[in-house]
């Protein structure tokens, strides 16, 4: 094992321990929580090294970078089954590439984007897993559907063919400590519960990055997104 691979495994072990500790504090099973490795700005070889350490779910923020990386990883390891998630802002002219290459799109925030993804998802692929990105902190500069429009958008997306609405995603405004970090995550949990009460079969809350793992997991996150804490510092 190279020193680089060893360092990655050490960082990953520390992330897993943080997830496990937070889950124990919440009275939850750590197995309920998926670790999404945010691989933007890291190459195909970094992804392959991470798969060697057991990771199978990867998140990309930029469409073309992600599509190219997916192709390179598949060429290098065609038998490797990975879940590729798109977690960045979506432009209308990029939906076909997303629908064809990714297994999850976490950043749907308007009906027209969902409709295009449904139209462009190849029929020979499984339904595209979709999360609605919620602007849970009401920030003017941040993407996401407003809280009061989540229910309507969820109903629209759930009715589209070749998509499977799985739940919600959010990137809350940063808080300085648990007292500030937990409330937006709690609002996300309640939103998901409201969707379930309305009859929608949703199971995923993607919320929480490395700095706020504990707060997110205490409030019910089923997926956390971690990048440099796994892969190390990105190249400048």
């Amino acid at each position: 094992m190279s020193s680089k691979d060893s360092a990655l495994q050490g960082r990953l072990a520390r992330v897993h321990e943080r997830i496990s500790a937070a889950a124990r504090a919440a009275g939850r099973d750590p197995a309920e929580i998926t670790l999404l490795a945010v691989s933007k700005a890291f190459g195909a070889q970094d992804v392959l090294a991470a798969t060697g350490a057991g990771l199978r779910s990867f998140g990309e923020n930029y469409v073309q970078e992600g599509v190219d990386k997916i192709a390179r990883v598949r060429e290098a390891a065609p038998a490797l089954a990975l879940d590729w998630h798109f977690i960045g802002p979506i432009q209308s002219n990029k939906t076909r590439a997303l629908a064809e290459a990714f297994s999850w799109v976490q950043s749907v925030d308007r009906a027209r984007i969902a409709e295009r993804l449904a139209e462009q998802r190849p029929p020979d692929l499984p339904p595209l897993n979709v999360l609605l990105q919620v602007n849970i902190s009401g920030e003017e500069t941040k993407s996401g559907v407003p809280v009061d429009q989540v229910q309507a958008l969820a109903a629209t997306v759930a009715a589209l063919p070749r998509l499977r609405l799985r739940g919600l995603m959010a990137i809350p405004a940063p808080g300085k400590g648990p007292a500030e970090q937990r409330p937006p995550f709690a609002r996300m949990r309640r939103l998901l519960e409201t969707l379930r009460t309305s009859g929608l079969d949703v199971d995923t809350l993607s919320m929480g990055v490395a700095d706020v793992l504990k707060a997110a997991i205490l409030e019910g996150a089923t997926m956390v997104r971690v990048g440099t804490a796994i892969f190390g510092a990105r190249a400048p």
Side-chain angles (χ1 to χ4, degrees), residues 55-209:
L55 288 172
R56 292 295 181 269
S57 297
F58 296 89
E60 292 290 325
N61 285 64
Y62 306 108
V63 177
Q64 197 57 54
E65 177 190 343
V67 169
D68 292 345
K69 194 176 303 177
I70 291 168
R72 290 196 296 272
V73 170
R74 284 178 177 163
E75 182 179 3
L80 196 58
L82 302 179
D83 281 329
W84 290 94
H85 298 237
F86 187 75
I87 58 177
I90 303 173
Q91 297 174 301
S92 294
N93 64 346
K94 302 290 188 180
T95 53
R96 183 174 298 278
L98 293 178
E100 292 176 349
F102 286 82
S103 46
W104 290 69
V105 175
Q106 295 203 14
S107 44
V108 171
D109 61 2
R110 52 199 188 277
R112 184 55 187 147
I113 291 295
E115 290 163 357
R116 290 176 64 89
L117 290 170
E119 292 164 1
Q120 295 164 347
R121 181 67 168 177
D124 60 322
L125 293 180
L128 181 64
N129 296 295
V130 167
L131 302 182
L132 305 186
Q133 181 173 351
V134 182
N135 188 348
I136 195 64
S137 301
E139 297 173 88
E140 293 183 2
T141 58
K142 190 167 285 182
S143 300
V145 60
V147 170
D148 62 357
Q149 297 176 28
V150 169
Q151 184 85 43
L153 181 58
T156 297
V157 173
L160 290 171
R162 293 195 289 277
L163 301 184
R164 181 184 173 194
L165 179 64
R166 297 294 298 269
L168 305 174
M169 182 270 264
I171 310 170
K176 294 180 181 178
E180 292 184 8
Q181 292 166 358
R182 290 186 65 172
F185 294 134
R187 291 196 295 274
M188 288 291 294
R189 173 175 44 78
R190 291 193 292 270
L191 271 177
L192 191 76
E193 291 168 354
T194 298
L195 296 184
R196 286 175 176 156
T197 300
S198 74
L200 294 176
D201 182 18
V202 288
D203 59 7
T204 302
L205 267 181
S206 174
M207 57 186 198
V209 294

